[in-house]
Amino acid sequence: MTGWIEALGHFLGRSAETTGYGLVLLCRTILNLPHLFTRRRMRDCLNLIFTYTLGSFTVTAVVALFTGMILALNGGDSLASLGQENLIGRIVAISMIREMGPFMTALILTASLGSGIAAEIGTMKVSEEIDALEIMSISPVKFLVLPRLIALTLVTPVMTIFAAFIGILGASIVAANNFGVTWIAFSNDALENLQLGDVQIGLIKSVVFGITIATVGSTQGLLTRGGATGVGEAARRAVVITFLLVIILGYYLSWWYLS
Amino acid sequence: MIQLENVTKVLSGRTILSNLSVTIEEGETLVLLGRSGTGKSVTLRHIVGLMQPDSGRVEVLGKSLTETSADQLAAVRSQVGYLFQDGALLNWLSIAENVALPLLETHHLAKSEVDQRVKNALREVELDHHGDKLPGEISGGMRKRAGLARALVSQPKIVLHDEPTSGLDPISSSIINKLVNRLKSTGITQVMVTHDMNSAFEVADRIALLHDGQIHALENVDDFRDSADPAVRQFLEGQISGPLSRGLLDGSSNDDDRNEVS
Ligand SMILES: Nc1ncnc2c1ncn2[C@@H]1O[C@H](COP(=O)(O)OP(=O)(O)OP(=O)(O)O)[C@@H](O)[C@H]1O
Ligand SMILES: [Mg+2]
């Protein structure tokens, strides 16, 4: 019984410590922002943007396409029973742009890039590379975290727009094939009902998610200890924590937007 | 030059260093010996401020590292080269880029100057033909030599070596020993942790034996070799039982072992 309480206390203490570390890391990275405008950091950043985009492009496209198709299939089915299948366009467009696009993209990028960042920095931690940087007076925040944070903050919204676009495309195919809604009718309904605010909240979410993925990944990487097992554990933890944060932050951002 | 005064360090509930004191003079090469896990790497980490003592003082180049600002620490570190046990190279940069890293990130030198210094550093460790390779494409011994080139490229006053010759073939070891001796002749202060006795006798001015969290013996090379101290004898002769086989670090204590030696 006391062992259980002790374990809980230990867990809470650790969580608070990690959260504090992550927030401090984020602030320090933001304070290091001026260092981005050097040729070397710019180059690192562009390399990462390129790698990240290439590395998540295919899976995002496939997942987005099928998500859009599933949305159209289910939405269309319910709407058809009311004779309202011409509303598919707006339903799919609004939900893809406001909710599903940012959310789905964040989950994909967490699994593929966030875990990668944690593993990469974690490996550097356990093989003393981070210590070596510190001795050379090269700040790991400036050298490692800053370019990753900036790259993900840019790549996530771009991939989100891409995912929403592909998802809507997939939905329009299902709408045409299964429910006889022409492409013109679909896009007219979508465009007439979509508001600028929907796009804005989608983009705001994706930027927040990008920052979250990079910060959690870097935090877990820098806090890694204990060899190869530690690296695996850091990657696993980065994914779990980012998933939770994306869901919770996503809910509050939607709530803020709607109220 | 380097001064540790009553340094105590507890890690994960175990006392690794307990009241350790040692002074390393300018231009001296001190070899630090000791069994695995006695805290040799931990001692080196204190000298560059990667670890702070729980109590005691560390002073390097006349500056205290125990109560210091980030800028002062950076100033001290810019004078120190550190060779990590496994080289600690960044695996996405080529060997030459790794060696150039401290120059490119913290010094403001012309590109030609950087290239020249990198070339010289790589030549010193006989890696001049491998500059374009990635760390994953060369052997462990070569990585270690590349790590040494990186430590030397910013022309430090102090060089700390953590097992520079472990895992190296005898020829590569000789290259390192020769280099350490050459650095010594230019007046650089060095601390070298090693398990390689040949190397220790070849490069050291003085040899220290770390045991039970303290400097157990600290002698000139010849005195160390002829020392009558049972711990030193056990270490040099590699006997299984003796004073080094027990103690606070294993958490075991075996008096029988101790009696056998004397
Ligand atoms: N960051 C750390 N946290 C907890 N314990 C540590 C840490 N660093 C080292 N230790 C422990 O301190 C002890 C001394 O470690 P150290 O690396 O200094 O040994 P060493 O003398 O260099 O050994 P070796 O010859 O094997 O390299 C070890 O038992 C190690 O487990
Ligand atoms: Mg060691």
Side-chain angles (χ1 to χ4, degrees):
Chain A
M1 183 64 192
T2 45
W4 185 84
I5 292 170
E6 215 169 87
L8 183 70
H10 187 75
F11 170 78
L12 290 178
R14 245 193 90 122
S15 307
E17 214 173 288
T18 312
T19 311
Y21 187 96
L23 289 175
V24 171
L25 182 66
L26 181 59
C27 294
R28 283 180 58 201
T29 314
I30 292 169
L31 288 177
N32 268 290
L33 216 52
H35 288 291
L36 186 67
F37 303 102
T38 58
R39 211 162 45 165
R40 293 176 57 76
R41 281 303 83 72
M42 276 293 180
R43 200 192 52 197
D44 291 349
C45 204
L46 288 177
N47 277 338
L48 287 170
I49 289 175
F50 183 72
T51 324
Y52 289 172
T53 310
L54 214 62
S56 53
F57 183 81
T58 322
V59 59
T60 309
V62 173
V63 174
L65 185 72
F66 278 90
T67 310
M69 288 175 16
I70 291 168
L71 269 179
L73 211 53
N74 284 287
D77 198 42
S78 311
L79 289 169
S81 63
L82 304 168
Q84 300 279 350
E85 55 268 48
N86 52 331
L87 302 182
I88 293 185
R90 75 180 70 170
I91 290 187
V92 170
I94 292 176
S95 58
M96 272 316 272
I97 286 173
R98 237 203 248 160
E99 300 287 347
M100 289 309 287
F103 180 64
M104 183 175 70
T105 312
L107 295 196
I108 294 170
L109 297 191
T110 305
S112 57
L113 306 180
S115 64
I117 291 176
E120 187 182 25
I121 297 182
T123 307
M124 295 182 66
K125 179 76 191 293
V126 300
S127 57
E128 299 186 304
E129 288 165 45
I130 303 282
D131 291 333
L133 288 177
E134 285 199 3
I135 289 175
M136 295 187 275
S137 296
I138 301 172
S139 145
V141 174
K142 178 186 94 179
F143 187 75
L144 297 172
V145 183
L146 177 65
R148 280 161 181 74
L149 183 80
I150 299 299
L152 262 174
T153 309
L154 296 175
V155 167
T156 315
V158 171
M159 291 311 276
T160 302
I161 294 170
F162 171 71
F165 180 77
I166 295 284
I168 293 169
L169 196 73
S172 72
I173 296 170
V174 170
N177 282 354
N178 300 36
F179 302 104
V181 181
T182 63
W183 198 80
I184 304 275
F186 182 94
S187 48
N188 275 346
D189 187 55
L191 288 174
E192 272 163 24
N193 290 284
L194 202 60
Q195 283 163 358
L196 184 63
D198 297 325
V199 180
Q200 281 171 339
I201 188 65
L203 285 178
I204 291 174
K205 275 188 188 173
S206 66
V207 167
V208 171
F209 292 164
I211 294 173
T212 309
I213 298 168
T215 308
V216 175
S218 305
T219 302
Q220 291 301 328
L222 289 172
L223 290 176
T224 303
R225 50 181 74 189
T229 13
V231 174
E233 177 65 11
R236 187 191 68 80
R237 221 178 279 178
V239 171
V240 173
I241 294 173
T242 314
F243 272 18
L244 290 175
L245 285 176
V246 161
I247 297 261
I248 294 168
L249 289 172
Y251 171 78
Y252 281 105
L253 284 170
S254 291
W255 175 77
W256 168 73
Y257 170 69
L258 292 172
S259 62
Chain B
M1 198 77 175
I2 301 172
Q3 200 171 3
L4 282 83
E5 224 177 85
N6 295 320
V7 169
T8 297
K9 184 72 181 174
V10 179
L11 285 167
S12 322
R14 277 175 55 215
T15 307
I16 307 298
L17 304 180
S18 94
N19 270 321
L20 178 142
S21 296
V22 64
T23 303
I24 298 145
E25 304 296 339
E26 184 167 353
E28 177 182 34
T29 297
L30 180 91
V31 166
L32 189 56
L33 301 175
R35 298 194 60 187
S36 259
T38 45
K40 303 182 296 296
S41 299
V42 167
T43 307
L44 287 188
R45 296 169 83 83
H46 277 85
I47 302 178
V48 282
L50 278 178
M51 280 184 177
Q52 292 289 336
D54 295 332
S55 67
R57 266 171 60 81
V58 179
E59 206 179 286
V60 178
L61 292 160
K63 299 207 178 70
S64 164
L65 296 191
T66 17
E67 57 258 2
T68 187
S69 65
D71 285 346
Q72 222 178 48
L73 186 60
V76 170
R77 282 174 175 173
S78 69
Q79 308 284 334
V80 181
Y82 195 115
L83 170 65
F84 283 91
Q85 220 161 331
D86 297 307
L89 303 171
L90 305 180
N91 61 13
W92 70 89
L93 295 179
S94 74
I95 300 304
E97 286 169 330
N98 262 292
V99 175
L101 195 65
L103 299 180
L104 292 174
E105 290 288 333
T106 53
H107 298 53
H108 300 283
L109 297 174
K111 186 165 183 320
S112 57
E113 167 82 7
V114 172
D115 289 346
Q116 193 56 46
R117 282 220 217 165
V118 169
K119 222 167 113 189
N120 289 344
L122 285 175
R123 187 169 328 114
E124 291 214 73
V125 295
E126 307 201 356
L127 283 178
D128 28 356
H129 299 303
H130 302 280
D132 297 334
K133 294 188 178 149
L134 290 172
E137 297 168 345
I138 58 174
S139 72
M142 286 157 91
R143 276 200 288 280
K144 205 169 260 194
R145 272 149 57 196
L148 187 53
R150 184 179 65 185
L152 297 180
V153 78
S154 39
Q155 302 172 341
K157 290 204 176 85
I158 295 175
V159 181
L160 310 174
H161 310 259
D162 201 344
E163 303 192 17
T165 59
S166 72
L168 263 58
D169 65 274
I171 298 166
S172 300
S173 297
S174 298
I175 295 174
I176 301 279
N177 293 340
K178 211 177 84 194
L179 183 60
V180 173
N181 273 328
R182 203 188 64 68
L183 293 174
K184 187 158 102 174
S185 69
T186 62
I188 289 178
T189 309
Q190 304 181 87
V191 182
M192 177 165 145
V193 167
T194 189
H195 292 300
D196 175 348
M197 298 313 295
N198 290 332
S199 168
F201 287 126
E202 205 173 317
V203 304
D205 292 314
R206 288 191 298 165
I207 301 183
L209 179 67
L210 190 63
H211 175 52
D212 268 357
Q214 295 195 325
I215 300 290
H216 179 84
L218 176 57
E219 315 257 18
N220 294 328
V221 176
D222 293 329
D223 294 342
F224 192 87
R225 204 191 320 250
D226 303 331
S227 171
D229 183 283
V232 174
R233 290 258 57 90
Q234 185 196 355
F235 195 86
L236 290 180
E237 286 155 22
Q239 289 157 355
I240 293 168
S241 53
L244 299 180
S245 309
R246 42 118 232 137
L248 114 187
L249 294 168
D250 313 317
S252 67
S253 121
N254 190 332
D255 284 347
D256 294 342
D257 282 355
R258 201 171 167 194
N259 294 337
E260 269 176 40
V261 169
S262 43

